[in-house]
Amino acid sequence: MATRGLPRLFKLSVRLDGSSGVAPVVRDPDGLKNSGSRHILLLVHGYNNSYDDAEESYGKFIDNLLQELAASRDAPDAIAKFHWPGDESTFFGTTAGYAFDIDHARDAAQRLATYLTGLPIP
């Protein structure tokens, strides 16, 4: 059985640098949309975490996952890490920031859905 090899990693985000709110569209700096990837594993981290917390969690998860995927013929050819907005929780505290985060999470989810439906199907 042939294996696919290790998947490429991509970042997707609707975070705004230095401010609260949600970007108007999903940012795709690594070019997932034009990568030709057919089998994408989308990782979505909790929305009330800082960027650094999400990256740390993604890193640990992916490190563990890659060991298993290396020998798999069913491995995805891409892994996309989606970054929600949500730094209000880290600034105001989890409970106080939740009221701000939930509206941003809904907006972010809609933008992610729009992005995903716009991916080309090879």
Side-chain angles (χ1 to χ4, degrees):
M1 278 186 237
T3 61
R4 285 189 194 200
L6 295 178
R8 291 179 51 201
L9 298 178
F10 297 88
K11 286 184 187 176
L12 302 174
S13 180
V14 291
R15 287 178 170 266
L16 293 174
D17 297 329
S19 66
S20 63
V22 180
V25 296
V26 171
R27 286 186 266 161
D28 179 8
D30 303 317
L32 175 64
K33 187 173 247 181
N34 298 315
S35 71
S37 298
R38 294 178 46 128
H39 305 277
I40 301 167
L41 173 61
L42 176 64
L43 303 179
V44 180
H45 195 275
Y47 66 83
N48 61 344
N49 297 104
S50 71
Y51 177 88
D52 291 338
D53 288 343
E55 272 297 298
E56 182 179 343
S57 293
Y58 282 145
K60 290 176 184 177
F61 183 78
I62 290 170
D63 285 348
N64 290 326
L65 187 63
L66 288 179
Q67 294 173 15
E68 298 300 320
L69 293 180
S72 173
R73 65 182 184 100
D74 297 320
D77 51 357
I79 297 175
K81 304 179 295 182
F82 180 69
H83 284 276
W84 293 95
D87 289 330
E88 285 87 357
S89 286
T90 59
F91 181 74
F92 291 118
T94 302
T95 304
Y98 182 80
F100 296 100
D101 285 346
I102 194 67
D103 288 337
H104 292 163
R106 286 185 184 126
D107 292 342
Q110 181 58 51
R111 285 168 179 89
L112 178 59
T114 299
Y115 172 84
L116 294 173
T117 58
L119 287 175
I121 300 173

PDB file of all heavy atoms in Angstrom, residues 17-32:
ATOM      1  N   ASP A  17      -5.487  41.989  13.536  1.00  0.00           N
ATOM      2  CA  ASP A  17      -4.273  42.300  14.277  1.00  0.00           C
ATOM      3  C   ASP A  17      -4.458  43.556  15.115  1.00  0.00           C
ATOM      4  O   ASP A  17      -4.821  44.606  14.596  1.00  0.00           O
ATOM      5  CB  ASP A  17      -3.093  42.497  13.322  1.00  0.00           C
ATOM      6  CG  ASP A  17      -2.766  41.232  12.555  1.00  0.00           C
ATOM      7  OD1 ASP A  17      -2.977  40.140  13.111  1.00  0.00           O
ATOM      8  OD2 ASP A  17      -2.302  41.338  11.415  1.00  0.00           O
ATOM      9  N   GLY A  18      -4.249  43.418  16.412  1.00  0.00           N
ATOM     10  CA  GLY A  18      -4.250  44.564  17.306  1.00  0.00           C
ATOM     11  C   GLY A  18      -5.607  45.138  17.659  1.00  0.00           C
ATOM     12  O   GLY A  18      -5.681  46.190  18.281  1.00  0.00           O
ATOM     13  N   SER A  19      -6.687  44.496  17.252  1.00  0.00           N
ATOM     14  CA  SER A  19      -8.000  45.022  17.625  1.00  0.00           C
ATOM     15  C   SER A  19      -8.998  43.877  17.720  1.00  0.00           C
ATOM     16  O   SER A  19      -8.754  42.776  17.245  1.00  0.00           O
ATOM     17  CB  SER A  19      -8.483  46.052  16.606  1.00  0.00           C
ATOM     18  OG  SER A  19      -8.732  45.456  15.361  1.00  0.00           O
ATOM     19  N   SER A  20     -10.122  44.177  18.344  1.00  0.00           N
ATOM     20  CA  SER A  20     -11.160  43.157  18.437  1.00  0.00           C
ATOM     21  C   SER A  20     -11.975  43.163  17.154  1.00  0.00           C
ATOM     22  O   SER A  20     -11.800  43.997  16.290  1.00  0.00           O
ATOM     23  CB  SER A  20     -12.053  43.429  19.648  1.00  0.00           C
ATOM     24  OG  SER A  20     -12.718  44.653  19.486  1.00  0.00           O
ATOM     25  N   GLY A  21     -12.862  42.239  17.062  1.00  0.00           N
ATOM     26  CA  GLY A  21     -13.684  42.143  15.874  1.00  0.00           C
ATOM     27  C   GLY A  21     -13.246  40.987  14.999  1.00  0.00           C
ATOM     28  O   GLY A  21     -12.378  40.200  15.360  1.00  0.00           O
ATOM     29  N   VAL A  22     -13.865  40.909  13.839  1.00  0.00           N
ATOM     30  CA  VAL A  22     -13.651  39.801  12.920  1.00  0.00           C
ATOM     31  C   VAL A  22     -13.298  40.363  11.553  1.00  0.00           C
ATOM     32  O   VAL A  22     -13.942  41.293  11.067  1.00  0.00           O
ATOM     33  CB  VAL A  22     -14.928  38.936  12.823  1.00  0.00           C
ATOM     34  CG1 VAL A  22     -14.736  37.774  11.877  1.00  0.00           C
ATOM     35  CG2 VAL A  22     -15.348  38.444  14.200  1.00  0.00           C
ATOM     36  N   ALA A  23     -12.290  39.798  10.931  1.00  0.00           N
ATOM     37  CA  ALA A  23     -11.916  40.216   9.583  1.00  0.00           C
ATOM     38  C   ALA A  23     -13.090  39.960   8.635  1.00  0.00           C
ATOM     39  O   ALA A  23     -13.866  39.020   8.844  1.00  0.00           O
ATOM     40  CB  ALA A  23     -10.682  39.458   9.124  1.00  0.00           C
ATOM     41  N   PRO A  24     -13.222  40.766   7.599  1.00  0.00           N
ATOM     42  CA  PRO A  24     -14.364  40.605   6.688  1.00  0.00           C
ATOM     43  C   PRO A  24     -14.339  39.308   5.892  1.00  0.00           C
ATOM     44  O   PRO A  24     -15.380  38.838   5.444  1.00  0.00           O
ATOM     45  CB  PRO A  24     -14.275  41.821   5.769  1.00  0.00           C
ATOM     46  CG  PRO A  24     -12.885  42.348   5.923  1.00  0.00           C
ATOM     47  CD  PRO A  24     -12.394  41.916   7.262  1.00  0.00           C
ATOM     48  N   VAL A  25     -13.173  38.728   5.699  1.00  0.00           N
ATOM     49  CA  VAL A  25     -13.041  37.448   4.996  1.00  0.00           C
ATOM     50  C   VAL A  25     -11.957  36.632   5.689  1.00  0.00           C
ATOM     51  O   VAL A  25     -11.122  37.166   6.414  1.00  0.00           O
ATOM     52  CB  VAL A  25     -12.668  37.621   3.499  1.00  0.00           C
ATOM     53  CG1 VAL A  25     -13.782  38.334   2.741  1.00  0.00           C
ATOM     54  CG2 VAL A  25     -11.351  38.354   3.350  1.00  0.00           C
ATOM     55  N   VAL A  26     -11.948  35.342   5.445  1.00  0.00           N
ATOM     56  CA  VAL A  26     -10.917  34.466   5.992  1.00  0.00           C
ATOM     57  C   VAL A  26      -9.594  34.782   5.305  1.00  0.00           C
ATOM     58  O   VAL A  26      -9.522  34.838   4.077  1.00  0.00           O
ATOM     59  CB  VAL A  26     -11.286  32.975   5.787  1.00  0.00           C
ATOM     60  CG1 VAL A  26     -10.115  32.069   6.150  1.00  0.00           C
ATOM     61  CG2 VAL A  26     -12.511  32.615   6.608  1.00  0.00           C
ATOM     62  N   ARG A  27      -8.575  34.995   6.110  1.00  0.00           N
ATOM     63  CA  ARG A  27      -7.236  35.191   5.564  1.00  0.00           C
ATOM     64  C   ARG A  27      -6.601  33.812   5.363  1.00  0.00           C
ATOM     65  O   ARG A  27      -6.671  32.960   6.239  1.00  0.00           O
ATOM     66  CB  ARG A  27      -6.385  36.055   6.497  1.00  0.00           C
ATOM     67  CG  ARG A  27      -6.824  37.517   6.411  1.00  0.00           C
ATOM     68  CD  ARG A  27      -5.915  38.392   7.211  1.00  0.00           C
ATOM     69  NE  ARG A  27      -6.565  38.499   8.523  1.00  0.00           N
ATOM     70  CZ  ARG A  27      -5.971  38.870   9.622  1.00  0.00           C
ATOM     71  NH1 ARG A  27      -4.700  39.158   9.632  1.00  0.00           N
ATOM     72  NH2 ARG A  27      -6.636  38.955  10.755  1.00  0.00           N
ATOM     73  N   ASP A  28      -5.983  33.649   4.212  1.00  0.00           N
ATOM     74  CA  ASP A  28      -5.395  32.378   3.786  1.00  0.00           C
ATOM     75  C   ASP A  28      -3.967  32.654   3.315  1.00  0.00           C
ATOM     76  O   ASP A  28      -3.662  32.544   2.128  1.00  0.00           O
ATOM     77  CB  ASP A  28      -6.260  31.789   2.672  1.00  0.00           C
ATOM     78  CG  ASP A  28      -5.751  30.481   2.114  1.00  0.00           C
ATOM     79  OD1 ASP A  28      -4.791  29.914   2.670  1.00  0.00           O
ATOM     80  OD2 ASP A  28      -6.304  30.028   1.088  1.00  0.00           O
ATOM     81  N   PRO A  29      -3.068  33.040   4.246  1.00  0.00           N
ATOM     82  CA  PRO A  29      -1.726  33.479   3.832  1.00  0.00           C
ATOM     83  C   PRO A  29      -0.879  32.392   3.188  1.00  0.00           C
ATOM     84  O   PRO A  29       0.041  32.698   2.429  1.00  0.00           O
ATOM     85  CB  PRO A  29      -1.087  33.966   5.140  1.00  0.00           C
ATOM     86  CG  PRO A  29      -1.791  33.196   6.212  1.00  0.00           C
ATOM     87  CD  PRO A  29      -3.208  33.036   5.705  1.00  0.00           C
ATOM     88  N   ASP A  30      -1.182  31.131   3.465  1.00  0.00           N
ATOM     89  CA  ASP A  30      -0.389  30.031   2.921  1.00  0.00           C
ATOM     90  C   ASP A  30      -0.959  29.471   1.622  1.00  0.00           C
ATOM     91  O   ASP A  30      -0.369  28.577   1.023  1.00  0.00           O
ATOM     92  CB  ASP A  30      -0.265  28.909   3.962  1.00  0.00           C
ATOM     93  CG  ASP A  30       0.340  29.411   5.266  1.00  0.00           C
ATOM     94  OD1 ASP A  30       1.315  30.189   5.210  1.00  0.00           O
ATOM     95  OD2 ASP A  30      -0.169  29.038   6.337  1.00  0.00           O
ATOM     96  N   GLY A  31      -2.108  29.974   1.193  1.00  0.00           N
ATOM     97  CA  GLY A  31      -2.660  29.597  -0.097  1.00  0.00           C
ATOM     98  C   GLY A  31      -3.364  28.253  -0.175  1.00  0.00           C
ATOM     99  O   GLY A  31      -3.275  27.558  -1.178  1.00  0.00           O
ATOM    100  N   LEU A  32      -4.102  27.898   0.870  1.00  0.00           N
ATOM    101  CA  LEU A  32      -4.858  26.640   0.824  1.00  0.00           C
ATOM    102  C   LEU A  32      -5.803  26.615  -0.373  1.00  0.00           C
ATOM    103  O   LEU A  32      -5.910  25.608  -1.067  1.00  0.00           O
ATOM    104  CB  LEU A  32      -5.651  26.438   2.124  1.00  0.00           C
ATOM    105  CG  LEU A  32      -6.578  25.226   2.165  1.00  0.00           C
ATOM    106  CD1 LEU A  32      -5.785  23.930   2.066  1.00  0.00           C
ATOM    107  CD2 LEU A  32      -7.423  25.238   3.426  1.00  0.00           C
TER     108      LEU A  32
END
